[in-house]
Every structure is written in C-alpha cells, then in structure tokens.
Amino acid sequence: MGKPARPASAFAQRTVVPVLIAISASHMLNDIVQSLIPAIYPIVKEKFTLSFTQVGIITLCFQMTASILQPFVGRFTDKRPQPYSLMVGMCFTLAGILALWGAGSFTALLLSVMLVGMGSSIFHPEASRIAHAASGGKRGLAQSVFQLGGNFGSSMGPLLAALIVVPFGLHSLGWFAVIPLIGIFVLQRVGTWYKRSSAIRARRPAKMVVPHGIPRSTVRRSIVILLVLIFSKQFYLASMSSYYTFYLMGKFGLSVRDAQIHLFIFLFAAAIGTLIGGPIGDRYGRKYVIWFSILGSAPFTLLLPHADLMWTGILSAIVGLILSSAFSAILVYAQELVPGKVGMVSGLFFGFAFGMAGIGSALLGALADHTNIAFVFQICSFLPLIGLAAAFLPRVHERYLHPEQAKS
C-alpha cells in the first residue's frame, strides 16, 4: 500500500475560525440585500400593478443572473484564485441596491435585481473556496458556518422589510446601501488573508486528496442525482420565499407586516438547519443527511396546505429546519466526488440552486395567475418526495477519506 498523499500545507490542517466567521458574516451581509428583493414583492406588486407572473419574472431575472455566471467564475478561480474578487462582487451588490432605491418602472426593477444577481455570482464560488481553505479538513462544518451566514441574512430581509420598508416606503431602501459597504471592508481583510496564506500557493489538486476510486460513470450519475435533489429543494423554497407572504395574506387575512414576520420565522429556522447539517454529515456521513433532509421534510410539507394559522407557522418552521440542512452536505459531497475543483463545483451547485429558484418562481407565479396561491402550495408540497433519489448515491464520505480525515 502506497504512502498516503500529503495535505497541501500545514496551514490546511487546522480550522481558521476567524476567517470562517468573517466569510460567514460577509455572506450574511450579501444575502440580506438579496433577501430584500422577494421581501418587497407585496409592496412593488401594488405600486407597479404587477401580476404574479411579473413578480416571478423579477425573481427569474435575479436568480438567472446569479446562477449562469457562477460555474464559469468557479472554473476560472480554480486555475487563477482571485483573493479580492469578493470585493468586486459586493460592489455589484451595492450598485444593485442603489439602483433598486431609485427604480421608477418595472424595467428598472429588473435591471436593479440583475446587478444584485451579478454580485452574487461573483461572490459565492470564491467565498466557498475560502471556507474550504479555512476548514482544516472539517469541510461540512466550514460550509455550514458559511451557509449559516447566508441563511441568517436571508431571514433578516423580510424582518427588515417589515420594520423599515413597509412603514417608510421603497425610498428607505437607500439606507441599506451601508450593508454592502460594510461587506466590502470585511472582504478586503479576508482577501488579504487569503493572498498571504499558503492555501493559494500550495493548492495542487493531485496532492490534496486521496483518489476515491469511484468510476466516472458513477460520479456523473451521482452529480445528476444531487442536482435533481437541489431542484426539488429550491423549487419548494422558491414557493416559500416568493409567495408565502401572499399565501398567508390570502388564506388568513394577515397584513403585509405580519406575513413578513412569518416568513422571517421560516427563514430563521432554515438558518438553524443549515448549521446543523454540515457537522452531522462530517460525523455520520453526508448521504444520510441528504436523505433525511429532503425526504424527511415531506410529511410536513404535505400537511402544511391543510393547517390553520398556528400550525402553518409551526410546520413551516419545521420544514425550514429540516429542508435547509441538505445544502452543505450536498455541496461537500459533490466536492468529494470531484476533488480539486472546489470553485467549479461550488459555482455549479450555487448557480443551479439560484437558477432553479428563479425558474421555479416564474413558473409558480404563472401557475398562481391561472389558479391561485393555495393550489401552488398544494402542488409544491409533493416536491420533497423526490428525496427518494438519494438512495442511489454511493457512500463517498464513509468509504473514501481525505488525508486530513485519515489522520483522525
């Protein structure tokens, strides 16, 4: 038996907690701005007299801009790491929120959200790589901490919209420009650390991991299965993030403010679930987390359209908690399937997730226009059953160890 491959550097053997916290905080700031877009849908729908289809088109433009570029950005930075590209992405986000602040037409709204989407497409692949570099081998934990910031930021959007945008109007969006400005400062420090660390200079994929020995055909099939699971997850989340407030307002007569608070509870539960999924996957195997997260939420999604207001809030929180625990496990699992291409894999899965959310929102909006929001939620309740496909995934994490893990 040959000598195990040596880790890329001694630096990679320890978890750099301050960097993980910083990259998670910047993810939170980035996603606060992103989450403001669906959070203000009830307001812009009334102001610009939009249909549900047009609301879906806003999400489609935002998510497609955020998704299409990500695999290409990730592939480019795999070959040529760009420590300060995260600052560039945050500058696009800043430009987007300023454009949204001054938007006076539906077309201007679309252009504004596309700028925010471009910022996201630049931010996520390289940010995921930095989390990977700072993980010290605890990749599930690192991705969960990184995702926690994003999900917590996503949950804050509806709450901030309820407390600030609803009472003060769309012109109050200008106040949120301070968020990406803070993000630019944080990411400058992170970029400096990344540039100085040996994680860039010593990054040689052939020496970083022990070859897992899985046939290419199995790897391709597994990637397809993971993307199918992302599809089911993101379509359901699209129904919640874009139309949950309309569902609550239509079925239970809630005000915009109260509906936004319910959306915040769902997204906050999703943030907690994100933090839980990664470490559990590190310890017990990512396949089990993926299986439980997608399929395990099905009983609760099936019950939700038939529940009263109290149980709707409880069930939505449970769904957010369980369903969101999958993404970190799916992403790290895919990175292990295709070692040495962290940026490209991260860009592919983040991009696909955003793309599915955008397409899902547009299709569900058109469906709502032809039927009603309640029917949309009934249809979406069956999506987590697609989690049965996880049974066909190989047990990569349990059978094939990375050198960092082999020493433990």
Side-chain angles (χ1 to χ4, degrees), residues 29 82 214 233 382 407:
L29 297 173
Q82 305 292 320
I214 300 177
K233 173 181 178 292
F382 292 93
K407 290 191 174 186

Side-chain angles (χ1 to χ4, degrees), residues 110-135:
L110 296 182
L111 293 175
S112 301
V113 301
M114 289 173 69
L115 283 172
V116 177
M118 290 181 66
S120 180
S121 69
I122 297 171
F123 174 84
H124 282 93
E126 193 72 342
S128 183
R129 179 203 302 286
I130 293 178
H132 181 276
S135 69

Side-chain angles (χ1 to χ4, degrees), residues 30 51 66 85 132 271 287 314 382 387 390:
N30 180 79
S51 65
S85 64
H132 181 276
K287 178 178 177 179
I314 294 172
F382 292 93

Side-chain angles (χ1 to χ4, degrees), residues 21-106:
I21 293 175
I23 203 69
S24 180
S26 62
H27 197 188
M28 177 191 70
L29 297 173
N30 180 79
D31 283 21
I32 285 177
V33 176
Q34 290 188 44
S35 65
L36 282 172
I37 294 172
I40 63 174
Y41 282 169
I43 302 172
V44 298
K45 184 177 186 296
E46 180 179 354
K47 179 177 180 179
F48 296 102
T49 318
L50 305 180
S51 65
F52 283 117
T53 300
Q54 289 175 307
V55 170
I57 290 174
I58 296 175
T59 302
L60 178 63
C61 289
F62 163 60
Q63 298 287 18
M64 292 305 292
T65 310
S67 66
I68 291 175
L69 296 177
Q70 289 206 38
F72 300 102
V73 172
R75 185 176 181 180
F76 177 79
T77 55
D78 275 335
K79 298 178 180 179
R80 299 179 180 179
Q82 305 292 320
Y84 296 107
S85 64
L86 301 180
M87 294 176 60
V88 176
M90 197 64 75
C91 287
F92 274 97
T93 301
L94 173 61
I97 194 67
L98 290 175
L100 190 62
W101 172 41
S105 66
F106 179 64

